[in-house]
Amino acid sequence: MSARQITGRLVIATHNPGKLWELQQLLAPHGVDAVSAGDLGLSEPEETETSFSGNALLKARAAATAANLPAFADDSGLCVDALGDEPGVYSARWAGEGRDFSAAIRRVERELAERGATPPFRAHFTCALAVVWPDGHVEQFEGRVDGVLVFPPRGEKGFGYDPIFLPDGLERTFGEMMSAEKHALPSDGSQALSHRARAFQALARACLA
Ligand code: IMP
């Protein structure tokens, strides 16, 4: 069965202006008018699920119900093989209240050492997307990028765990790349680089005209 198409107004279940802006750029060429949950005065639900897709669905469902409009949400994070896929859905929480990602990166390094892990430290970023309509219809997508972790961290261009993530087949960490390069959606249809761009490519193929 083909996926339901996204048309007209779409609520983006985020209070993060950077994320909203990025999504508006991606959606505008498809005739979709993206408004943020923050601008509509909707509150942010707590992310209580244990999977990326569960959290994306929870956020999209809450926004679709509150706004009575189709709603989009994402959830993403870093999964490290030798840490049993942690920090995973807790990626943001490892940075603490102060959002200190150098502390989060030190914690990853420390926990790898405590578990006696040795390089290569295999890891991947995952991004889950969910679109929920007010009648309860759901479309979900996932994107993933595999690589290894490198210490010490390299590069200051990205955010979060970017400086320790070296994607397979490349010689620069995400922290050494411009955001445009990492998140670009190639116009020739070839695979994007980042987990978020890959998930969005899957959504665009299925749900956007
Ligand atoms: P959220 O999906 O915006 O809640 O992001 C969860 C957390 O995962 C972020 O705070 C980052 O720590 C981490 N993360 C997700 N995507 C990336 C990425 O592309 N680079 C670096 N860190 C990321």
Side-chain angles (χ1 to χ4, degrees), residues 19 74-77 91-92 101 125 159-162 182 195-196:
K19 207 180 252 188
D74 72 346
D75 197 41
S76 61
S91 294
F101 279 95
F125 277 116
F159 70 98
Y161 298 90
D162 278 345
K182 197 182 136 193
H195 47 309
R196 197 166 290 102

Side-chain angles (χ1 to χ4, degrees), residues 117-173:
T118 50
F121 303 122
R122 298 291 310 163
H124 60 272
F125 277 116
T126 294
C127 176
L129 306 182
V131 184
V132 176
W133 278 258
D135 68 358
H137 183 84
V138 170
E139 298 287 350
Q140 289 189 276
F141 304 93
E142 218 159 273
R144 165 178 173 148
V145 56
D146 288 89
V148 294
L149 301 186
V150 295
F151 299 97
R154 286 167 26 192
E156 271 144 33
K157 294 198 176 80
F159 70 98
Y161 298 90
D162 278 345
I164 54 169
F165 187 79
L166 183 66
D168 286 342
L170 296 180
E171 281 163 14
R172 282 174 302 141
T173 67

Side-chain angles (χ1 to χ4, degrees), residues 7 58 61 146 155 190 194-195 201:
T7 53
L58 171 155
R61 199 168 262 150
D146 288 89
S190 59
S194 81
H195 47 309
Q201 274 183 322

Side-chain angles (χ1 to χ4, degrees), residues 35-95:
V35 289
S36 85
D39 288 342
L40 295 179
L42 310 181
S43 56
E44 254 177 316
E46 208 184 320
E47 298 182 17
T48 49
E49 294 290 334
T50 52
S51 66
F52 297 113
S53 57
N55 279 328
L57 190 56
L58 171 155
K59 290 185 276 187
R61 199 168 262 150
T65 305
N68 198 30
L69 284 169
F72 166 101
D74 72 346
D75 197 41
S76 61
L78 176 72
C79 301
V80 183
D81 289 14
L83 303 183
D85 275 354
E86 286 201 308
V89 293
Y90 306 108
S91 294
R93 273 170 255 184
W94 276 31

